[in-house]
Amino acid sequence: MASDINYQDGPVFSQRQESPAEDEEPVHSPSRNQNEYERIGGRAGSSFFQTLIHLLKGNIGTGLLGLPLAVKNAGLVMGPLCLLVMGIVAVHCMSVLVKCAHHLSAKLGKPFLSYGEAVEYGMENVSWLRNHSHWGRHVVNLFLIITQLGFCCVYFVFLSDNIKQVIEAANGTTMNCEVNQTAVIVPSYDSRLYMIFILPFIILLVFTRNLKFLAPFSFLANLVMSASLILIYYYSLTHIPNPIDLPYVGKAIDFPLFFGTSIFAFEGIGVVLPLENKMQKPQSFRMVLYLGMGIVTMLYISLGTVGYISFGERIKGSITLNLPDCWMYQTVKLLYSFGIYITYALQFYVPAEILIPVAVARVGPRWELLVDLSIRVGLVVFTSVHVSCPLLTWPIPSLGGRKTHRNTDWNTE
């Protein structure tokens, strides 16, 4: 008997029934492809608005807060122009990816394709790559797992350090936001203790296996992150110096730092196909993509430029570190941390969709749910241990500052 658990978050298409007339219709018939394609998402899929919310949530993360420093490394004019070009390239690549997946899924009669499958079937159309197409799927899946779990590791660091800063600076936090007194991190409890504290809450979050059920939380996270960004914009715009004396073009030696930070900010490409695959009407996804990424790109350019103009050479790794040490702006950290908490589940969804179906296929229906939840717990614990284990002492980027070792104090300079 087949299991009732659906690990694709959508209707099962392998058992769909077709009439004899449909069977006689050519596979490459436009009407056949269109009718079949419209059934990909089904009623269980996400709506246009839900998919847009997920796309925004998947792209607006910790990297956004570091863009003012990125603009500083590129220059006041060069930085925004390069961000615009990178945004256009990112949207174009996402659009080509979705278009290729549409073409291959219609050609092969499949309801949807994953990243690995799109690469594998695409390589099969090249004669000298056909015999090695399965390696393309494995390599892409491996890189996706590494990339997405890497984002999750950074999120763990961001959450623990921001909670740590707010709690341990509480005694020195005032209600007066007129004094530009930035938070000073003092030696205190290890950040790993805060990671242990938030670990159970993240485990409970990733138990949500359907993106449709996660949509209300993504919407709430977008609201609170929007509120925090409004406060950041307000302070930055009201503290712009006059005159503005900043270099239009940065030093060539600093441009790689700009490029790395900007690429990290465009962190949502890994969730493009999973979101498109789960839509009720996936033929509308390209409109979602253009609208959502247009908003994201304009947000990146505006915050990076305004933040750099406001704080100039004093800008830190995260713009929140330049805000006054008062309760209104300490709330910014808490609101943004909640948004990052929800974003963890979206970034985690990609490696889970790659690893879990392979594992549950090797066990009986009785053990599928247990194996599913066990893998989710194991992956979350791995991302936590990876950034907290004392044996792992290589540098790790963080928006809370710069860290020389994982078991040393933070240097916010």
Side-chain angles (χ1 to χ4, degrees), residues 121-156:
Y121 296 135
M123 292 176 63
E124 288 180 355
N125 290 296
V126 182
S127 58
W128 59 279
L129 292 175
R130 186 173 297 121
N131 294 332
H132 307 285
S133 60
H134 63 285
W135 286 109
R137 171 166 52 87
H138 296 321
V139 170
V140 168
N141 285 339
L142 176 62
F143 286 160
L144 277 174
I145 292 172
I146 294 174
T147 301
Q148 299 304 122
L149 291 182
F151 289 144
C152 293
C153 291
V154 174
Y155 291 170
F156 245 113

mmCIF file of all heavy atoms in Angstrom, residues 121-156:
data_model
loop_
_atom_site.group_PDB
_atom_site.id
_atom_site.type_symbol
_atom_site.label_atom_id
_atom_site.label_comp_id
_atom_site.label_asym_id
_atom_site.label_seq_id
_atom_site.Cartn_x
_atom_site.Cartn_y
_atom_site.Cartn_z
ATOM 1 N N TYR A 121 18.670 16.208 -17.804
ATOM 2 C CA TYR A 121 17.959 16.073 -19.072
ATOM 3 C C TYR A 121 18.481 17.064 -20.105
ATOM 4 O O TYR A 121 18.438 16.801 -21.307
ATOM 5 C CB TYR A 121 16.462 16.271 -18.860
ATOM 6 C CG TYR A 121 15.854 15.210 -17.981
ATOM 7 C CD1 TYR A 121 14.970 15.543 -16.955
ATOM 8 C CD2 TYR A 121 16.164 13.866 -18.163
ATOM 9 C CE1 TYR A 121 14.414 14.578 -16.137
ATOM 10 C CE2 TYR A 121 15.615 12.896 -17.349
ATOM 11 C CZ TYR A 121 14.745 13.244 -16.335
ATOM 12 O OH TYR A 121 14.218 12.283 -15.541
ATOM 13 N N GLY A 122 18.976 18.227 -19.643
ATOM 14 C CA GLY A 122 19.587 19.163 -20.576
ATOM 15 C C GLY A 122 20.868 18.611 -21.169
ATOM 16 O O GLY A 122 21.128 18.776 -22.369
ATOM 17 N N MET A 123 21.680 17.922 -20.365
ATOM 18 C CA MET A 123 22.933 17.331 -20.856
ATOM 19 C C MET A 123 22.664 16.178 -21.806
ATOM 20 O O MET A 123 23.494 15.883 -22.684
ATOM 21 C CB MET A 123 23.778 16.863 -19.672
ATOM 22 C CG MET A 123 24.325 17.991 -18.813
ATOM 23 S SD MET A 123 25.223 17.407 -17.352
ATOM 24 C CE MET A 123 26.600 16.529 -18.106
ATOM 25 N N GLU A 124 21.521 15.527 -21.674
ATOM 26 C CA GLU A 124 21.195 14.414 -22.570
ATOM 27 C C GLU A 124 20.966 14.887 -24.000
ATOM 28 O O GLU A 124 20.995 14.079 -24.935
ATOM 29 C CB GLU A 124 19.961 13.669 -22.059
ATOM 30 C CG GLU A 124 20.225 12.840 -20.816
ATOM 31 C CD GLU A 124 18.993 12.116 -20.337
ATOM 32 O OE1 GLU A 124 17.910 12.335 -20.924
ATOM 33 O OE2 GLU A 124 19.105 11.332 -19.372
ATOM 34 N N ASN A 125 20.737 16.170 -24.203
ATOM 35 C CA ASN A 125 20.566 16.707 -25.555
ATOM 36 C C ASN A 125 21.892 17.017 -26.237
ATOM 37 O O ASN A 125 21.909 17.418 -27.405
ATOM 38 C CB ASN A 125 19.715 17.981 -25.502
ATOM 39 C CG ASN A 125 18.271 17.690 -25.143
ATOM 40 O OD1 ASN A 125 17.555 17.020 -25.883
ATOM 41 N ND2 ASN A 125 17.829 18.191 -23.995
ATOM 42 N N VAL A 126 23.003 16.857 -25.504
ATOM 43 C CA VAL A 126 24.341 17.067 -26.073
ATOM 44 C C VAL A 126 24.994 15.702 -26.207
ATOM 45 O O VAL A 126 25.149 14.983 -25.212
ATOM 46 C CB VAL A 126 25.186 17.990 -25.176
ATOM 47 C CG1 VAL A 126 26.561 18.245 -25.811
ATOM 48 C CG2 VAL A 126 24.460 19.306 -24.933
ATOM 49 N N SER A 127 25.372 15.333 -27.413
ATOM 50 C CA SER A 127 25.823 13.965 -27.695
ATOM 51 C C SER A 127 27.007 13.546 -26.830
ATOM 52 O O SER A 127 27.024 12.445 -26.269
ATOM 53 C CB SER A 127 26.174 13.834 -29.183
ATOM 54 O OG SER A 127 27.179 14.771 -29.546
ATOM 55 N N TRP A 128 28.016 14.425 -26.703
ATOM 56 C CA TRP A 128 29.220 14.022 -25.972
ATOM 57 C C TRP A 128 29.070 14.114 -24.458
ATOM 58 O O TRP A 128 29.969 13.701 -23.719
ATOM 59 C CB TRP A 128 30.421 14.854 -26.432
ATOM 60 C CG TRP A 128 30.260 16.336 -26.236
ATOM 61 C CD1 TRP A 128 29.586 17.190 -27.041
ATOM 62 C CD2 TRP A 128 30.783 17.124 -25.163
ATOM 63 N NE1 TRP A 128 29.648 18.473 -26.556
ATOM 64 C CE2 TRP A 128 30.384 18.461 -25.399
ATOM 65 C CE3 TRP A 128 31.557 16.839 -24.036
ATOM 66 C CZ2 TRP A 128 30.724 19.491 -24.549
ATOM 67 C CZ3 TRP A 128 31.906 17.876 -23.182
ATOM 68 C CH2 TRP A 128 31.486 19.177 -23.445
ATOM 69 N N LEU A 129 27.924 14.646 -23.980
ATOM 70 C CA LEU A 129 27.649 14.686 -22.543
ATOM 71 C C LEU A 129 26.583 13.680 -22.124
ATOM 72 O O LEU A 129 26.350 13.498 -20.931
ATOM 73 C CB LEU A 129 27.205 16.095 -22.133
ATOM 74 C CG LEU A 129 28.233 17.213 -22.207
ATOM 75 C CD1 LEU A 129 27.585 18.549 -21.872
ATOM 76 C CD2 LEU A 129 29.399 16.945 -21.252
ATOM 77 N N ARG A 130 25.934 13.041 -23.092
ATOM 78 C CA ARG A 130 24.778 12.199 -22.787
ATOM 79 C C ARG A 130 25.125 11.067 -21.826
ATOM 80 O O ARG A 130 24.354 10.766 -20.906
ATOM 81 C CB ARG A 130 24.201 11.643 -24.085
ATOM 82 C CG ARG A 130 22.903 10.870 -23.916
ATOM 83 C CD ARG A 130 22.312 10.503 -25.255
ATOM 84 N NE ARG A 130 21.964 11.686 -26.024
ATOM 85 C CZ ARG A 130 22.445 11.973 -27.216
ATOM 86 N NH1 ARG A 130 23.311 11.140 -27.798
ATOM 87 N NH2 ARG A 130 22.074 13.066 -27.862
ATOM 88 N N ASN A 131 26.280 10.447 -22.004
ATOM 89 C CA ASN A 131 26.645 9.305 -21.161
ATOM 90 C C ASN A 131 27.041 9.712 -19.751
ATOM 91 O O ASN A 131 27.178 8.849 -18.875
ATOM 92 C CB ASN A 131 27.801 8.528 -21.808
ATOM 93 C CG ASN A 131 27.391 7.869 -23.111
ATOM 94 O OD1 ASN A 131 26.219 7.534 -23.299
ATOM 95 N ND2 ASN A 131 28.348 7.691 -24.018
ATOM 96 N N HIS A 132 27.246 10.988 -19.538
ATOM 97 C CA HIS A 132 27.655 11.465 -18.207
ATOM 98 C C HIS A 132 26.609 12.402 -17.595
ATOM 99 O O HIS A 132 26.916 13.142 -16.662
ATOM 100 C CB HIS A 132 28.990 12.205 -18.315
ATOM 101 C CG HIS A 132 30.068 11.418 -18.988
ATOM 102 N ND1 HIS A 132 30.735 10.373 -18.368
ATOM 103 C CD2 HIS A 132 30.596 11.517 -20.245
ATOM 104 C CE1 HIS A 132 31.635 9.869 -19.199
ATOM 105 N NE2 HIS A 132 31.568 10.547 -20.351
ATOM 106 N N SER A 133 25.398 12.368 -18.113
ATOM 107 C CA SER A 133 24.377 13.317 -17.660
ATOM 108 C C SER A 133 24.021 13.142 -16.194
ATOM 109 O O SER A 133 23.698 14.112 -15.501
ATOM 110 C CB SER A 133 23.119 13.176 -18.522
ATOM 111 O OG SER A 133 22.595 11.858 -18.427
ATOM 112 N N HIS A 134 24.098 11.890 -15.701
ATOM 113 C CA HIS A 134 23.731 11.662 -14.298
ATOM 114 C C HIS A 134 24.697 12.364 -13.346
ATOM 115 O O HIS A 134 24.319 12.754 -12.238
ATOM 116 C CB HIS A 134 23.675 10.164 -13.988
ATOM 117 C CG HIS A 134 24.992 9.467 -14.141
ATOM 118 N ND1 HIS A 134 25.533 9.167 -15.385
ATOM 119 C CD2 HIS A 134 25.886 9.016 -13.213
ATOM 120 C CE1 HIS A 134 26.698 8.551 -15.204
ATOM 121 N NE2 HIS A 134 26.937 8.455 -13.908
ATOM 122 N N TRP A 135 25.955 12.552 -13.794
ATOM 123 C CA TRP A 135 26.912 13.263 -12.956
ATOM 124 C C TRP A 135 26.553 14.737 -12.835
ATOM 125 O O TRP A 135 26.812 15.361 -11.798
ATOM 126 C CB TRP A 135 28.320 13.110 -13.520
ATOM 127 C CG TRP A 135 28.900 11.757 -13.285
ATOM 128 C CD1 TRP A 135 29.133 10.778 -14.211
ATOM 129 C CD2 TRP A 135 29.324 11.217 -12.022
ATOM 130 N NE1 TRP A 135 29.657 9.661 -13.618
ATOM 131 C CE2 TRP A 135 29.801 9.910 -12.267
ATOM 132 C CE3 TRP A 135 29.340 11.712 -10.723
ATOM 133 C CZ2 TRP A 135 30.273 9.089 -11.259
ATOM 134 C CZ3 TRP A 135 29.830 10.899 -9.716
ATOM 135 C CH2 TRP A 135 30.283 9.600 -9.971
ATOM 136 N N GLY A 136 25.950 15.287 -13.867
ATOM 137 C CA GLY A 136 25.491 16.677 -13.779
ATOM 138 C C GLY A 136 24.466 16.850 -12.685
ATOM 139 O O GLY A 136 24.513 17.835 -11.929
ATOM 140 N N ARG A 137 23.541 15.907 -12.587
ATOM 141 C CA ARG A 137 22.522 15.972 -11.523
ATOM 142 C C ARG A 137 23.165 15.872 -10.149
ATOM 143 O O ARG A 137 22.825 16.640 -9.233
ATOM 144 C CB ARG A 137 21.506 14.853 -11.721
ATOM 145 C CG ARG A 137 20.531 14.691 -10.570
ATOM 146 C CD ARG A 137 19.367 13.810 -10.976
ATOM 147 N NE ARG A 137 19.838 12.553 -11.546
ATOM 148 C CZ ARG A 137 20.133 11.461 -10.828
ATOM 149 N NH1 ARG A 137 20.005 11.488 -9.512
ATOM 150 N NH2 ARG A 137 20.546 10.359 -11.431
ATOM 151 N N HIS A 138 24.100 14.945 -9.981
ATOM 152 C CA HIS A 138 24.737 14.767 -8.672
ATOM 153 C C HIS A 138 25.545 15.993 -8.260
ATOM 154 O O HIS A 138 25.514 16.417 -7.095
ATOM 155 C CB HIS A 138 25.639 13.529 -8.692
ATOM 156 C CG HIS A 138 24.905 12.244 -8.898
ATOM 157 N ND1 HIS A 138 23.675 11.988 -8.322
ATOM 158 C CD2 HIS A 138 25.215 11.119 -9.612
ATOM 159 C CE1 HIS A 138 23.256 10.790 -8.656
ATOM 160 N NE2 HIS A 138 24.172 10.238 -9.458
ATOM 161 N N VAL A 139 26.286 16.572 -9.218
ATOM 162 C CA VAL A 139 27.126 17.733 -8.908
ATOM 163 C C VAL A 139 26.264 18.933 -8.519
ATOM 164 O O VAL A 139 26.551 19.630 -7.526
ATOM 165 C CB VAL A 139 28.032 18.077 -10.105
ATOM 166 C CG1 VAL A 139 28.722 19.423 -9.891
ATOM 167 C CG2 VAL A 139 29.078 16.987 -10.307
ATOM 168 N N VAL A 140 25.192 19.195 -9.284
ATOM 169 C CA VAL A 140 24.326 20.333 -8.974
ATOM 170 C C VAL A 140 23.648 20.144 -7.625
ATOM 171 O O VAL A 140 23.564 21.088 -6.821
ATOM 172 C CB VAL A 140 23.272 20.521 -10.096
ATOM 173 C CG1 VAL A 140 22.189 21.491 -9.659
ATOM 174 C CG2 VAL A 140 23.936 21.033 -11.355
ATOM 175 N N ASN A 141 23.170 18.945 -7.335
ATOM 176 C CA ASN A 141 22.543 18.684 -6.039
ATOM 177 C C ASN A 141 23.531 18.883 -4.895
ATOM 178 O O ASN A 141 23.178 19.430 -3.840
ATOM 179 C CB ASN A 141 21.976 17.271 -5.996
ATOM 180 C CG ASN A 141 20.694 17.123 -6.795
ATOM 181 O OD1 ASN A 141 20.017 18.120 -7.066
ATOM 182 N ND2 ASN A 141 20.357 15.915 -7.180
ATOM 183 N N LEU A 142 24.774 18.447 -5.103
ATOM 184 C CA LEU A 142 25.795 18.622 -4.064
ATOM 185 C C LEU A 142 26.052 20.098 -3.801
ATOM 186 O O LEU A 142 26.112 20.534 -2.639
ATOM 187 C CB LEU A 142 27.089 17.931 -4.486
ATOM 188 C CG LEU A 142 28.291 18.113 -3.541
ATOM 189 C CD1 LEU A 142 27.986 17.516 -2.173
ATOM 190 C CD2 LEU A 142 29.542 17.478 -4.141
ATOM 191 N N PHE A 143 26.199 20.890 -4.875
ATOM 192 C CA PHE A 143 26.447 22.318 -4.700
ATOM 193 C C PHE A 143 25.257 23.020 -4.059
ATOM 194 O O PHE A 143 25.422 23.938 -3.246
ATOM 195 C CB PHE A 143 26.778 22.964 -6.043
ATOM 196 C CG PHE A 143 28.143 22.643 -6.548
ATOM 197 C CD1 PHE A 143 28.463 22.780 -7.891
ATOM 198 C CD2 PHE A 143 29.126 22.180 -5.692
ATOM 199 C CE1 PHE A 143 29.741 22.482 -8.367
ATOM 200 C CE2 PHE A 143 30.395 21.877 -6.146
ATOM 201 C CZ PHE A 143 30.709 22.020 -7.492
ATOM 202 N N LEU A 144 24.053 22.602 -4.404
ATOM 203 C CA LEU A 144 22.868 23.190 -3.783
ATOM 204 C C LEU A 144 22.832 22.905 -2.288
ATOM 205 O O LEU A 144 22.512 23.790 -1.483
ATOM 206 C CB LEU A 144 21.603 22.654 -4.453
ATOM 207 C CG LEU A 144 21.161 23.335 -5.742
ATOM 208 C CD1 LEU A 144 19.977 22.586 -6.346
ATOM 209 C CD2 LEU A 144 20.777 24.787 -5.487
ATOM 210 N N ILE A 145 23.137 21.675 -1.917
ATOM 211 C CA ILE A 145 23.133 21.310 -0.497
ATOM 212 C C ILE A 145 24.159 22.134 0.266
ATOM 213 O O ILE A 145 23.874 22.690 1.334
ATOM 214 C CB ILE A 145 23.407 19.800 -0.336
ATOM 215 C CG1 ILE A 145 22.231 18.988 -0.881
ATOM 216 C CG2 ILE A 145 23.648 19.454 1.133
ATOM 217 C CD1 ILE A 145 22.506 17.502 -0.946
ATOM 218 N N ILE A 146 25.378 22.247 -0.299
ATOM 219 C CA ILE A 146 26.438 23.008 0.368
ATOM 220 C C ILE A 146 26.047 24.480 0.492
ATOM 221 O O ILE A 146 26.199 25.102 1.554
ATOM 222 C CB ILE A 146 27.760 22.859 -0.403
ATOM 223 C CG1 ILE A 146 28.253 21.420 -0.343
ATOM 224 C CG2 ILE A 146 28.817 23.802 0.161
ATOM 225 C CD1 ILE A 146 29.485 21.154 -1.196
ATOM 226 N N THR A 147 25.526 25.049 -0.610
ATOM 227 C CA THR A 147 25.177 26.473 -0.612
ATOM 228 C C THR A 147 24.061 26.783 0.378
ATOM 229 O O THR A 147 24.175 27.703 1.203
ATOM 230 C CB THR A 147 24.745 26.915 -2.019
ATOM 231 O OG1 THR A 147 25.809 26.676 -2.936
ATOM 232 C CG2 THR A 147 24.387 28.388 -2.031
ATOM 233 N N GLN A 148 22.981 26.015 0.324
ATOM 234 C CA GLN A 148 21.828 26.319 1.165
ATOM 235 C C GLN A 148 22.119 26.061 2.645
ATOM 236 O O GLN A 148 21.708 26.841 3.506
ATOM 237 C CB GLN A 148 20.622 25.492 0.722
ATOM 238 C CG GLN A 148 20.177 25.752 -0.720
ATOM 239 C CD GLN A 148 19.871 27.211 -0.971
ATOM 240 O OE1 GLN A 148 20.459 27.847 -1.837
ATOM 241 N NE2 GLN A 148 18.940 27.761 -0.221
ATOM 242 N N LEU A 149 22.819 24.984 2.953
ATOM 243 C CA LEU A 149 23.188 24.750 4.351
ATOM 244 C C LEU A 149 24.194 25.792 4.831
ATOM 245 O O LEU A 149 24.232 26.132 6.016
ATOM 246 C CB LEU A 149 23.757 23.338 4.526
ATOM 247 C CG LEU A 149 22.755 22.185 4.358
ATOM 248 C CD1 LEU A 149 23.440 20.844 4.599
ATOM 249 C CD2 LEU A 149 21.565 22.346 5.305
ATOM 250 N N GLY A 150 25.006 26.321 3.904
ATOM 251 C CA GLY A 150 25.908 27.412 4.273
ATOM 252 C C GLY A 150 25.139 28.654 4.679
ATOM 253 O O GLY A 150 25.490 29.331 5.662
ATOM 254 N N PHE A 151 24.063 28.973 3.931
ATOM 255 C CA PHE A 151 23.203 30.085 4.337
ATOM 256 C C PHE A 151 22.624 29.833 5.727
ATOM 257 O O PHE A 151 22.563 30.751 6.562
ATOM 258 C CB PHE A 151 22.067 30.267 3.330
ATOM 259 C CG PHE A 151 22.504 30.822 2.007
ATOM 260 C CD1 PHE A 151 21.902 30.401 0.830
ATOM 261 C CD2 PHE A 151 23.514 31.755 1.916
ATOM 262 C CE1 PHE A 151 22.297 30.912 -0.402
ATOM 263 C CE2 PHE A 151 23.923 32.274 0.701
ATOM 264 C CZ PHE A 151 23.309 31.855 -0.460
ATOM 265 N N CYS A 152 22.197 28.611 5.963
ATOM 266 C CA CYS A 152 21.605 28.276 7.266
ATOM 267 C C CYS A 152 22.624 28.442 8.386
ATOM 268 O O CYS A 152 22.268 28.865 9.499
ATOM 269 C CB CYS A 152 21.061 26.846 7.248
ATOM 270 S SG CYS A 152 19.632 26.602 6.154
ATOM 271 N N CYS A 153 23.892 28.115 8.123
ATOM 272 C CA CYS A 153 24.941 28.315 9.137
ATOM 273 C C CYS A 153 25.098 29.796 9.476
ATOM 274 O O CYS A 153 25.214 30.172 10.652
ATOM 275 C CB CYS A 153 26.266 27.752 8.631
ATOM 276 S SG CYS A 153 26.332 25.949 8.502
ATOM 277 N N VAL A 154 25.111 30.639 8.440
ATOM 278 C CA VAL A 154 25.232 32.082 8.664
ATOM 279 C C VAL A 154 24.028 32.591 9.459
ATOM 280 O O VAL A 154 24.161 33.457 10.332
ATOM 281 C CB VAL A 154 25.367 32.829 7.330
ATOM 282 C CG1 VAL A 154 25.352 34.336 7.540
ATOM 283 C CG2 VAL A 154 26.649 32.412 6.616
ATOM 284 N N TYR A 155 22.837 32.057 9.169
ATOM 285 C CA TYR A 155 21.642 32.474 9.900
ATOM 286 C C TYR A 155 21.749 32.129 11.374
ATOM 287 O O TYR A 155 21.295 32.884 12.245
ATOM 288 C CB TYR A 155 20.400 31.823 9.301
ATOM 289 C CG TYR A 155 20.035 32.330 7.925
ATOM 290 C CD1 TYR A 155 19.060 31.708 7.163
ATOM 291 C CD2 TYR A 155 20.687 33.431 7.371
ATOM 292 C CE1 TYR A 155 18.725 32.171 5.900
ATOM 293 C CE2 TYR A 155 20.362 33.900 6.112
ATOM 294 C CZ TYR A 155 19.378 33.268 5.380
ATOM 295 O OH TYR A 155 19.055 33.732 4.136
ATOM 296 N N PHE A 156 22.331 30.965 11.681
ATOM 297 C CA PHE A 156 22.522 30.590 13.083
ATOM 298 C C PHE A 156 23.412 31.607 13.793
ATOM 299 O O PHE A 156 23.127 32.033 14.925
ATOM 300 C CB PHE A 156 23.148 29.193 13.181
ATOM 301 C CG PHE A 156 22.258 28.174 13.811
ATOM 302 C CD1 PHE A 156 21.750 27.126 13.085
ATOM 303 C CD2 PHE A 156 21.924 28.263 15.156
ATOM 304 C CE1 PHE A 156 20.919 26.185 13.656
ATOM 305 C CE2 PHE A 156 21.102 27.329 15.750
ATOM 306 C CZ PHE A 156 20.593 26.280 14.989
#
